[in-house]
Every structure is written in structure tokens, then in C-alpha cells.
């Protein structure tokens, strides 16, 4: 079991901790598939909602809140039945807008894993306005159920009445919708090829700045992040922050990073290179490889 889960396991009931420990192996990054979830329910005799709420301390153990020391954990349940944990991430000494919120982390975890629909968000503290707006960008966002300890379950529309969202800006394919952009670039570099693929899956309906970041660690593993825009603009999730959140979920350190690539579309109205460099240089002494590509 990973050391970061020791304290959280001690907060769980004996049946749950016994059933969960075998899952918390070195490769565990917060993903529990539908079959594993069903097995946990059988072994603990908990309902699904009871189980997901009980798992929040484990999700919070994924957090890296270097500024606030305030640990937030979230769980997104996908349409597949799988669950995806996420946690807040803060970059030491950097501006607060670089922060990744727990709900964003969980949602991006699900998105990077191929989910096209999220039905439930479980979180240990009430979602802030930033996160409510981010959730509202998703497919059927207003219908996503929000689960909180000690409170009745309610859809996002309860927490974000009179919402402003994609349809107000004439966007009909919200975040998590399947969409692929092709780019004109030939390369034999695996990291660049992966970044191109991820940029093609990014979500940028407001600026057309389709972009992605891929981080490579010294052992050859890669961790990606895609750009995810928001109708309210500020809750947009940067690809570098998504990649760093992905890295931390997988129990890696910033010192493990040996290479970082940002791919972005030449047709974008903005560039993410400045923000990506700021975030990267805060945590790693490496240069960002920035490639601008033309869409087909």
C-alpha cells in the first residue's frame, strides 16, 4: 500500500479498510472500476452512496495543497460505472489561479480515461462557485448529482440556479462530448505524437486554442493534460495543470519530470505558452518544448 494512504485508511471502518487495501498498490491513481466498486459494496454491505462518501478520505490523500494545507477530495462517477478520484493541487509560491480544484481533478481524470458522461460528483466540502461553473460545462452538467457528507443529494442546478453555460455562447457540444481535431505535423517522436493526439481531443470552443501538454518522467512514463475551456472563461483548466494533477495522482514527484511538451493550434485566438511555462518553472528546472501546429 502507498504510504500516502496510511492515515486515510485508519479513518475507515474495518470491513472497508480490509477490502480496500489490496487496491491501493503502487500503481493506484484513484481509479476504481465498476466491478471493483460492486465488490467493495458486497464486502462492506454499504450502499453505493455510503461507500463513495466513505472513500472521500482516500481521495483527499491524493491532494497536494502546499499553500493552504486544506485537503479536498472528490470522486466523479462516469457513465461506465467506474469512479475517478481527484484532489486539489497548489503550486508552491505561484499565483492562486494555477490551483487545480478537487472536482476539476476528478473530472479531468474521468475525461482522460475516456468517459463521455459523468453522473455523480462526490466531494468532502461544498463545491465553490468556480467548481460549480466548471461542472456546468459538462454534458448534462445541470443534472449531475452532487453528494456531500451530511447533506441531501441534489443536482448541480440546485447549487447553480440561473446558470450561465455553453448554450449561452451557442456551443452545442459541451465538455466530454467526443470531438477530434486533426493536425498537420509528421513526427517520429513518441512524446510529440502523444501530445498531438491529446491536443486533438482538447476542448476549446471559445478560442479554438486546442492544446495539450505531455510530461515524460525519467523512467519513460508519460502524463498528459488537455485544455478544457469554460463559458465563464476563468474556470478553464490549463493543460499543464491537468498534466501535473495527473502526475501527482500517479504518486510521482515533480523531480521525476525530465521533459515537457506543449502542442497548440495555430488557429487559436490565444496562446497558453506563458501560463504553461510559469507553472512548469515553479516545480521543475527544465525547458518547455512549445510546438504550434496547423489543423487540417
Amino acid at each position: 500500500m502507498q504510504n500516502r494512504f496510511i492515515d486515510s485508511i485508519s479513518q475507515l471502518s474495518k470491513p472497508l479498510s480490509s477490502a480496500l487495501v489490496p487496491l491501493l498498490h503502487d500503481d493506484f491513481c484513484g481509479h476504481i472500476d465498476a466491478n471493483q466498486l460492486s465488490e467493495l459494496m458486497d464486502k462492506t454491505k454499504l450502499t453505493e452512496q455510503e461507500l463513495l462518501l466513505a472513500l472521500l478520505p482516500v481521495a483527499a490523500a491524493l491532494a497536494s495543497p502546499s499553500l493552504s494545507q486544506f485537503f479536498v477530495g472528490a470522486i466523479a462517477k462516469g457513465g461506465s460505472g467506474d469512479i475517478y478520484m481527484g484532489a486539489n493541487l497548489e503550486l508552491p509560491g505561484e499565483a492562486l489561479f494555477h490551483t487545480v480544484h478537487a472536482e476539476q481533478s476528478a473530472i479531468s481524470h474521468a475525461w482522460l480515461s475516456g468517459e463521455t458522461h459523468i453522473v455523480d460528483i462526490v466531494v468532502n466540502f461544498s463545491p465553490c462557485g468556480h467548481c460549480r461553473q466548471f461542472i456546468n460545462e459538462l454534458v448534462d452538467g445541470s443534472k449531475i448529482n452532487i453528494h456531500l457528507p451530511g447533506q441531501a443529494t441534489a443536482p448541480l442546478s440546485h447549487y447553480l440556479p440561473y446558470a450561465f453555460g455553453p448554450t449561452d455562447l451557442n456551443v452545442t457540444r459541451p465538455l466530454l462530448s467526443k470531438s477530434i481535431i486533426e493536425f498537420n505535423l509528421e513526427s517520429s517522436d513518441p512524446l510529440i505524437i502523444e501530445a498531438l493526439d491529446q491536443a486533438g481531443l482538447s476542448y476549446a470552443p471559445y478560442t479554438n486554442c486546442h492544446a495539450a501538454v505531455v510530461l515524460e518522467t525519467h523512467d519513460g512514463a508519460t502524463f498528459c493534460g488537455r485544455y478544457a475551456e469554460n463559458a465563464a472563461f476563468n474556470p478553464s483548466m490549463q493543460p499543464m495543470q491537468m498534466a501535473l494533477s495527473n502526475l501527482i495522482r500517479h504518486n510521482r514527484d515533480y523531480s521525476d519530470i525530465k521533459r515537457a511538451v506543449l502542442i497548440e493550434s495555430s488557429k487559436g485566438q490565444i496562446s497558453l505558452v506563458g501560463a504553461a511555462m510559469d507553472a512548469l518553472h515553479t516545480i521543475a528546472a527544465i525547458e518547455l518544448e512549445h510546438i504550434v501546429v496547423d489543423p487540417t
Side-chain angles (χ1 to χ4, degrees):
M1 183 178 72
Q2 297 176 31
N3 289 338
R4 58 180 171 172
F5 297 120
I6 291 175
D7 289 342
S8 59
I9 283 293
S10 68
Q11 302 175 43
L12 307 182
S13 68
K14 183 65 174 177
L16 179 54
S17 62
S18 297
L20 190 62
V21 163
L23 300 182
L24 304 181
H25 46 73
D26 288 346
D27 295 328
F28 182 76
C29 64
H31 176 212
I32 297 177
D33 67 37
N35 290 332
Q36 291 170 327
L37 191 66
S38 179
E39 290 175 5
L40 288 174
M41 291 169 59
D42 288 341
K43 291 177 180 178
T44 61
K45 308 306 179 187
L46 297 172
T47 66
E48 182 177 286
Q49 181 170 332
E50 289 170 339
L51 176 59
L52 294 182
L53 289 168
L55 289 174
L56 285 173
V58 177
L62 302 173
S64 181
S66 58
L67 302 174
S68 68
Q69 299 303 310
F70 188 69
F71 288 73
V72 184
I75 298 171
K77 183 184 178 187
S80 68
D82 289 11
I83 65 167
Y84 305 87
M85 296 180 181
N88 55 323
L89 172 71
E90 300 161 1
L91 300 187
E94 259 301 349
L96 296 181
F97 69 78
H98 285 290
T99 299
V100 175
H101 295 233
E103 294 90 331
Q104 289 180 308
S105 176
I107 290 165
S108 66
H109 188 180
W111 187 35
L112 292 172
S113 299
E115 293 286 351
T116 58
H117 190 210
I118 288 173
V119 294
D120 295 280
I121 297 287
V122 189
V123 62
N124 56 348
F125 294 98
S126 183
C128 68
H130 182 101
C131 290
R132 298 177 195 197
Q133 184 66 48
F134 189 81
I135 297 168
N136 193 54
E137 193 76 21
L138 306 182
V139 171
D140 292 330
S142 65
K143 299 177 182 179
I144 293 173
N145 290 313
I146 309 296
H147 305 265
L148 293 162
Q151 296 189 35
T153 298
L156 179 68
S157 57
H158 169 79
Y159 290 92
L160 192 66
Y162 310 108
F164 179 85
T167 56
D168 293 293
L169 294 179
N170 300 315
V171 170
T172 58
R173 295 179 62 80
L175 181 58
L176 297 187
S177 300
K178 279 289 187 182
S179 181
I180 299 176
I181 305 295
E182 300 287 344
F183 293 105
N184 285 314
L185 181 66
E186 291 187 9
S187 175
S188 59
D189 187 324
L191 205 66
I192 292 175
I193 293 171
E194 182 176 355
L196 279 170
D197 289 342
Q198 294 297 330
L201 296 169
S202 65
Y203 176 77
Y206 309 110
T207 68
N208 288 317
C209 185
H210 293 278
V213 163
V214 178
L215 306 174
E216 183 181 16
T217 53
H218 290 287
D219 63 356
T222 59
F223 303 92
C224 64
R226 306 170 189 153
Y227 187 33
E229 287 191 331
N230 189 274
F233 286 18
N234 285 343
S236 300
M237 191 172 182
Q238 299 285 323
M240 179 61 76
Q241 278 78 346
M242 191 180 294
L244 292 174
S245 179
N246 192 4
L247 178 92
I248 295 299
R249 275 199 312 272
H250 282 83
N251 202 28
R252 300 304 184 94
D253 293 324
Y254 298 136
S255 60
D256 293 333
I257 303 170
K258 76 167 186 179
R259 192 177 172 200
V261 173
L262 166 67
I263 296 274
E264 60 182 353
S265 172
S266 63
K267 299 300 182 181
Q269 299 180 58
I270 61 171
S271 174
L272 307 179
V273 64
M277 289 175 61
D278 284 348
L280 178 64
H281 290 164
T282 298
I283 49 86
I286 61 173
E287 291 305 313
L288 177 68
E289 299 174 42
H290 177 219
I291 303 172
V292 177
V293 293
D294 295 326
T296 56

